[in-house]
Amino acid sequence: MNSNREELRIGFYVCHCGHNIAATVDCAEVARYVGTLPHVALSREYKYMCSDPGQELIQQDIREHKLNRVVVASCSPLLHEHTFRGATEAGGLNPFYFHMVNIREHNSWVHTDRKEATEKAKALAQAAIERVAHHKALEVKRVKIHADVLVVGGGIAGIHAAMTMANAGKKVYLVEREPTIGGHMAKFDKTFPTLDCAACILTPKMSEVGNHPNITLWTYSEVTKVDGYVGNYKVTVKHKPRYIVEDACVGCMECIDACVYKTPKFEDEFNEGLGKRKPVFIPFPQATPQVVIIDPETCLNLKTGKCKKTCVEACADRMAIDFTQKETFDEIEVGTMIVATGFKTFDAKRVPAYGYGIYPNVYTALEVERLVNASGPTGGEVITRDGRHPKSIGIIHCVGSRDKKTNVWCSRVCCMYSMKLALLLKEHTGAEIYNFYIDIRTPGKGYEEFYNKLLDEGVHFIRGRVGEVTDWAMTPEEEGKLTIRVEDTLAGYVRRIPVDMVVLATGLEPQQDAQDVRRLFNLSCGGEGWFLERHPKLAPVSTFTDGIFIAGGCQGPRDIPDTVAQAGAAAAECLALIDKGYVEQEPNTAFVLAEECSGCKSCIPLCPYTAITFDESSKVAVINEALCKGCGTCVASCPSGSIVQNLFEDDEVFSEIKGVLAYD
Amino acid sequence: MKYSYFPGCSLKGLGRAYEESLLPVMKHLGVDLQELDDWNCCGATAYMSVDEAKACVLASRNLALAERDGNHPILAPCSACYLVLNKTKHYLHQYPKMKATVDRALNAVGMKCEKDVPVRHPLDVLINDIGLDAIKMKVTKPLQGLKVAPYYGCQIVRPYATFDDQANPTTMDRLLEALGATVIRWPLKTKCCGGSLTGTIPEAGIRMVYILLNEAKKRGADCLATVCPLCQFNLDGYHSAVRRQYGDVLLPTVYFSQLMGLAFGLPDRDLALNRAAIPFRWRPSSPPPAPAQPPAAKSVAA
Amino acid sequence: MNITRTIKYEADRVKGFGDEVMKVPGCEKLKDCIQCGTCSGVCPLSVYMDYTPRQVMELTRFDFKKEVLSSKTIWLCASCYACTCECPREIRITDIMYELKQRAIHEGVYPRKFPIPVLAQEFEKMVTANGRISEMPLVMKLFMKTDPLGAMGNWQMGLDLMKTGRFSLASEKINNREQLAKMFAAAEEKA
Ligand SMILES: Cc1cc2nc3c(=O)[nH]c(=O)nc-3n(C[C@H](O)[C@H](O)[C@H](O)COP(=O)(O)OP(=O)(O)OC[C@H]3O[C@@H](n4cnc5c(N)ncnc54)[C@H](O)[C@@H]3O)c2cc1C
Ligand code: SF4
Ligand code: SF4
């Protein structure tokens, strides 16, 4: 150890974390052992180091025992490194004279043998003691935060977050990849449990977003590139050609009437394929922005170049139609971002036993949302694909949820939306309605009451996961119907129930492109593909990338109330950062020892954050501290060993290794 | 490509029409089948019900014989044999204890079961090794106008779906279409035929048979095509019992191999159509239209 | 009125039975059953079962040995594997049914004169001795043991078989029966 420094006085603390650590690691023994190591001035165990008294203990010891290094063996640095650095600083030391050892996630939670876990804790502690001796005083850098915000995804989550921040006076970019905002909610007729009209509560918000002076709304657009770091992101947004000049279109829809296709002919995506549209269309009457779009796949002019272009005539002086449009790009700077890209519904064809795509009268829930909707393809009349007014309807829960062959999770909203649809279908048709469920899950305010209401209305509930939906008839009353075969598990009988219509309550899944979005924004995903929050309880809208937050269905299945609450939380997190005005940057950055750099440039292309440039005048590489993330790639690659990284200097790392090996 | 042919007990007994029609068809297609020397019963479902370990030992002797005789893929036409042999392989992979027992038994007689010999079904070999193009080339009397309900039964795609879709298998559909037949779409193509219940609990077994016959007939089928001797026996042999319980639903059930022989124009003795209780009288009527352009020959390889 | 007690006391359970079954290869996942009833819903034989397959799973798990082993359900199972393919918890119900059949035969608790276990046992005996099955002799044996008169009812089928050349009383055997016997003997030795 460096002898020309003042005498080393290390304070060591091992935390019980209640039983979390103490149940598996003999903390007293660890403290005793570390106390015997050279330079350790004091060694203690304590029940909760992160508590106020725990932190106070560190500060007091620094003052009273003249400590100049601090090591805490406890949980993950992710959770409390910040806390203990703070305590170290409050005690009067540079916070980087502190080092943390993880003996919970890396030890007590993953081992069962108390003796061996204790040995491991001792070895890890010894490594930290050796390491901390080499720590240097470092300074935290402050970086200014750009006040503009980007929200990705214009479902109810994105809408609510954007509105909240715009109302607080921040400038918000809202990027939505579809031609209109609204997301799934825009397709619903009513929403559980209150059954308020979805359009009535959503569309005012949508048009407010469209008109808000602080919101730049970019629909039919996608983020293609994200550079930079918290406070200073550079984002590239691609605008797909809609062949309409948005500013010129007034939404009169005269072009639609004038289209050479006299009747709508193409599958209408917004209506889940249940209706038809023309090549020039607007997804639904209250779409925001109120701008039409031309689909190049079906437009005669765009496909063949041969069309009378009656639409252009109809648009006349407004001249909003532009067949020459190409995709364009915008580059923006923002300080923070909210990713609210939502979910997709499970593809019902993946459960062939339920006959979706085989029997015309098997529907997905989303299709039924459109079918019962007054502005839907049938104007709210429930009429099946083969033209019947159903007299009996079966709703099958958990399709593509709670199933190891498809998705293992509970999709959380299906029980409730199934009951909502049951009620709406009953209202519209007077049919007998059967719900087939495994468990009814109604954990929400007013939800259980909603379930009771359905029972009162005479909707039937049969507890059993449906075996199959089939069109072969065993008995006369099954002729011409779809028969549901299911065990009524409460009665203990297998039953065959003929119905006219089957509704599949398909579950919620991560978006198809969730992995691409994850990479783009440098997020993490759980095994199932949902975006991962920084902490499931304490940081539910934060991600592992500073300054980027998540909200709504992209993080996991949830209903509108929870989505909106989360969107508000994400907005508040952004506002908190923006109003603080700066972020502190971890000083674990790399720097070049100019006098040793040979100017070989091998590090430059390796840096994933393009933080390294070459200084032509002095012929050495230079690292931009603000861009460096401390990944260490360049350090390892430098052939002359002339790049050094704070907190990971050679003697720090080697002494840590030495420490762990010294223990036997 | 050579295959070790594993007929199983049924193809020598009640299901002999399957063997009698399959072997000529395979020969006609140039497939080299070598009957496994001194093979023994696969154990079927019944043996599993009595003693699982012994059932595995029994089945593994066949795997070991195939390994000894050149390790060619085993061709197992009977659904029960196909399943049991595959299941045994699965168990040997999955459960070390089972493997130890089997190894002990094989060791005692100087045999081994180590090489993971593939166990294949004729449909698999026909579609994936020989190919529909090669089959089409051999069709001289297309089955024009014959409406067939393909019936796969349970055990060739469940639970080890290796060559076809579990919920909606299509290999036989495609094969029959290649022969020129019209394939009936119906939801019962993998429903159980009742297995041995027809004999043991007739009430239950006959009901299954009735459901299948009735539904195929309702949808306009001229016959059922099957891949399994037990299915064929049940669907063909219990018509009088079905009549007693539910009324007449006469519908012949043939092996897919018999339809292949018919379309290939093989002689009557190679069709074994005289082996069924409900005779199948349909015959291709007119000579074929000019043979199609011979497509690029697909080499026969596993 | 004849009434029976249906409540179950702890003493009605054979503790450890469920755990034992769940230790058998292929049966481990029974623990994960959520009692959704899919197995019963797809089972073609549930038409006649006394307990549905789902109930058999629950009864097994909770050690109701007597009830499951004497149930008709395990014998009605035709091993079609429909349940195994559809179970959302990947429980191999068919294999559990096999295991229960084996135990029922072992303990001799199956219903008297019930043809299925008799068939299974006769089958096993014949294969163990000859290495192969001779179908007609097997069926004849079965009828003799369970329903001598029933055989008469099937004269039509016998006739059909004779007419189509499929009626044979010859006994099929493999050549190397000794080898097979040795294998079985070795398998039964403890490792
Ligand atoms: C059939 C059904 C009925 C329901 N009924 C109810 C109900 O009655 N009450 C209730 O509370 N909840 C209900 N829900 C749940 C409700 O849909 C969700 O809670 C809600 O939609 C979540 O909102 P979101 O904004 O997070 O996601 P979404 O609604 O999915 O919106 C996400 C938006 O992001 C856009 N997007 C996606 N990827 C990108 C990208 N890469 N770039 C740009 N934009 C992108 C999408 O186009 C979309 O507009 C129901 C769900 C279903 C499936
Ligand atoms: S299907 Fe599977 S999970 Fe459902 S009741 Fe049957 S065994 Fe249990
Ligand atoms: S394997 Fe047995 S229990 Fe399962 S569905 Fe088939 S007959 Fe029913």
Side-chain angles (χ1 to χ4, degrees), chain B residues 10 14 38 41 48 87 95, chain C residues 26 95 102 131-132 135 175:
Chain B
S10 264
L14 292 172
D38 205 33
C41 171
M48 276 278 172
K87 179 170 175 169
Y95 303 112
Chain C
D95 292 340
Q102 288 176 31
R132 285 192 195 166
E135 287 161 322
N175 298 328

Side-chain angles (χ1 to χ4, degrees), chain A residues 34-293:
Chain A
V34 174
T36 65
L37 297 175
H39 305 294
V40 174
L42 101 161
S43 179
R44 295 187 195 275
E45 53 172 323
Y46 193 73
K47 197 152 190 172
Y48 288 109
M49 281 309 294
C50 60
S51 64
D52 278 351
Q55 295 181 50
E56 184 53 43
L57 189 64
I58 296 176
Q59 294 168 35
Q60 207 178 329
D61 286 348
I62 292 174
R63 287 190 291 265
E64 287 175 11
H65 296 271
K66 308 242 169 322
L67 301 180
N68 51 21
R69 297 287 189 281
V70 175
V71 172
V72 176
S74 58
C75 53
S76 163
L78 220 56
L79 270 158
H80 279 307
E81 187 172 56
H82 191 73
T83 314
F84 297 131
R85 275 184 185 163
T88 308
E89 190 169 23
L93 284 181
N94 181 289
F96 296 92
Y97 283 139
F98 163 80
H99 189 64
M100 188 158 179
V101 189
N102 183 350
I103 56 165
R104 195 178 73 176
E105 284 84 345
H106 286 181
N107 192 348
S108 68
W109 278 358
V110 291
H111 296 301
T112 46
D113 186 312
R114 187 172 165 87
K115 190 161 164 287
E116 301 220 48
T118 305
E119 299 297 297
K120 179 170 173 180
K122 286 174 10 191
L124 291 172
Q126 179 158 4
I129 298 290
E130 297 267 354
R131 177 192 226 277
V132 80
H134 297 274
H135 275 206
K136 295 188 179 127
L138 296 170
E139 234 177 87
V140 174
K141 291 252 161 16
R142 286 185 171 189
V143 187
K144 257 188 68 157
I145 289 195
H146 198 293
D148 295 354
V149 193
L150 168 67
V151 177
V152 186
I156 183 61
I159 290 173
H160 185 78
M163 282 299 299
T164 307
M165 294 183 293
N167 286 341
K170 305 300 173 216
K171 187 164 163 31
V172 181
Y173 298 93
L174 177 56
V175 175
E176 164 61 53
R177 70 170 166 203
E178 298 298 324
T180 174
I181 55 171
H184 283 93
M185 189 177 169
K187 299 190 175 189
F188 307 156
D189 183 43
K190 302 258 166 67
T191 53
F192 65 72
T194 42
L195 291 185
D196 24 19
C197 151
C200 313
I201 56 176
L202 179 65
T203 51
K205 277 189 105 147
M206 285 167 59
S207 59
E208 238 182 298
V209 165
N211 298 325
H212 205 292
N214 284 342
I215 297 181
T216 306
L217 174 60
W218 281 330
T219 54
Y220 214 45
S221 302
E222 275 167 44
V223 172
T224 54
K225 197 160 169 244
V226 177
D227 277 332
Y229 50 94
V230 53
N232 297 277
Y233 286 110
K234 265 199 196 58
V235 179
T236 311
V237 179
K238 177 174 86 182
H239 309 293
K240 297 175 275 188
R242 66 198 293 160
Y243 305 104
I244 300 293
V245 181
E246 275 188 41
D247 296 336
C249 175
V250 295
C252 67
M253 302 186 216
E254 280 174 26
C255 50
I256 301 181
D257 291 336
C259 176
V260 291
Y261 286 98
K262 286 289 159 256
T263 46
K265 196 169 163 230
F266 305 101
E267 190 171 292
D268 174 358
E269 298 87 352
F270 189 79
N271 280 321
E272 299 293 311
L274 294 175
K276 300 266 185 259
R277 60 155 173 82
K278 294 185 179 182
V280 55
F281 66 101
I282 190 155
F284 64 107
Q286 300 97 329
T288 304
Q290 278 282 304
V291 171
V292 301
I293 177 169

